[in-house]
Amino acid sequence: MVEQKDLKVLVTVSPDELKAFITLYNTGDNSTIKKEDIMLALESQRVVFGIKEDIINYLVESPMYNESFCVAEGIAPKNGKNGSVTYHFNTSVNKTPTLMEDGRINYRELNLIQSVKKGQILCSLVPPVVGVEGKNVKGRVISAINGKPAVLPRGKNVALSEDGKSLIATTAGEVEYLDATKVSVYTNHEVPADVDNSTGNVSFVGSVIIKGNVLSGFSVEAGGNVEVFGVVEGATIKAGGNIILRRGMQGMGKGKLIAGGDIVARYIEYSSVDANNNIQAEAIMHSNVKCGNKLELTGNKGLFVGGSCKVGKIVVAKVIGSHMATITDVEVGADPSVRERYKNAKEELISMESDIKKADQAITILRKMESAGALTPDKQEILTKSVRTKVYLSSKIEEVKQEAAILDEKLQQEGNGKVRALNCIYPGVKVSIGTCMMYVKEPLQYCTLYRDGADVRVGPIDK
């Protein structure tokens, strides 16, 4: 505190020393206050930084007494910000079903599985922010707290990027986020119970294991294998690898199995089944089956009855058809996928030849108009497009013709499939081997059906 005759200047500093205040007192002789008096009072309290000279000048010109005025203010330090982790996937999966436009609730598309690809960035570091130091009114530097770096939550099947700032999946699979401490990728996704409204449809880049049933109307799609411990109803299962049904499938006319590898099941009923390689079951009934290599029906029943099968090489079954003469089509000797591609190529050729004919007709008419000098700009554009279409289709037709020829040759070469009955083939069964066909009119037992020239022959079981 500084006294000057009857004038007193009181200086106070805040506890954090970031602000300094003065209060002027007048004892009554009307002495004027000078700026030097205030500055001297501040200096006596070691206030040297952040002085607000404009306020001091105002108080000198128009002194106000018995009131506190802030005449110096320091700079508060700015603490840094801790680093953080940015996640490039949804860390909080919402199990609430979505409301569709028509007002219905979609219980099937819950999107509970988050699939990632190999090499995909899962999360990355946000660097910490360095603090900015401050200074108090007494000129002392106030230290700031720097932000701390975050740590990447590294779990299983993930690796650090080259710069150490990101986590990358080392395999394709399902990403799991556990309490912000671990990010892992698992190649298998396990459904502990049924695939139903609680799970929705399942779609995963790896393999899927289902401990319960797959209910009607739902779908399971996997880049790897699918294994189901329960029963599959009228559902759709697609697998890039194998499909294994521990029990079986009651498709109810709308069930589908599509596998890039093998399909193994105890029984399959009223379903559509397509496997690139082999199919093995105890019984397949009233279903449409496609199989690239071998269809094998063994076990207690070893039965194939009703519906149709198209198999690349061989059908082995105990019983084909039934004593009720159930219509059953068996076709072997050509890869179903090759036959399907050949059929599509032929259909594509017919369509393109029709389009070329239309383009030719348009070109002929427009050329005549051009010769007569009656071709408008719009018609000229149509002519140009028609010529381009013809050139493109002519080139495309040659490609498709070559493909069809190759496929046709392959079909001719592969027409050597076999049908082996370990017990009986009943009347009502139609057997096609390559381009040859035979209707079974009386029971055939313990035999192998094979192609001999243009006929289907019945030979011994070990043929």
Side-chain angles (χ1 to χ4, degrees), residues 9-12 18-24 38-39 41-42 47 49-57 59 68-74 137:
V9 179
L10 176 64
V11 177
T12 55
L18 285 175
K19 290 184 179 181
F21 304 86
I22 63 170
T23 305
L24 304 181
I38 297 175
M39 298 302 291
L42 291 172
V47 176
F49 179 78
I51 294 173
K52 301 181 178 182
E53 294 196 19
D54 54 339
I55 295 178
I56 293 174
N57 292 334
L59 290 174
S68 179
F69 295 93
C70 178
V71 293
E73 188 169 1
V137 294

Side-chain angles (χ1 to χ4, degrees), residues 12 16 94 120 136 198 235 248 354 390 427 440:
T12 55
D16 59 7
N94 184 9
Q120 183 173 331
N136 65 19
S198 66
S354 174
K390 181 181 178 181
V440 178

Side-chain angles (χ1 to χ4, degrees), residues 342 345 399-411:
Y342 178 73
E399 292 178 12
V400 177
K401 279 182 177 178
Q402 289 178 11
E403 182 187 12
I406 293 170
L407 293 172
D408 183 49
E409 185 179 351
K410 193 170 184 180
L411 287 172

Side-chain angles (χ1 to χ4, degrees), residues 229-251:
F229 283 71
V231 175
V232 180
E233 297 180 356
T236 298
I237 297 180
K238 295 181 181 179
N242 305 323
I243 296 176
I244 301 170
L245 308 184
R246 294 290 186 95
R247 294 179 67 181
M249 181 171 192
Q250 176 52 264

Side-chain angles (χ1 to χ4, degrees), residues 25 36 42 45-46 89 116 126 137 139 147 161 183 188 190 286 291 314 327 350 357 386 388 405:
Y25 297 98
E36 291 79 4
L42 291 172
Q45 296 297 317
R46 299 192 296 279
F89 60 91
V116 295
V126 176
V137 294
S161 60
V183 170
N188 290 339
E190 183 173 306
H286 307 289
C291 175
I314 185 170
I327 295 175
I350 293 171
K357 188 175 180 181
S386 298
R388 286 177 182 170

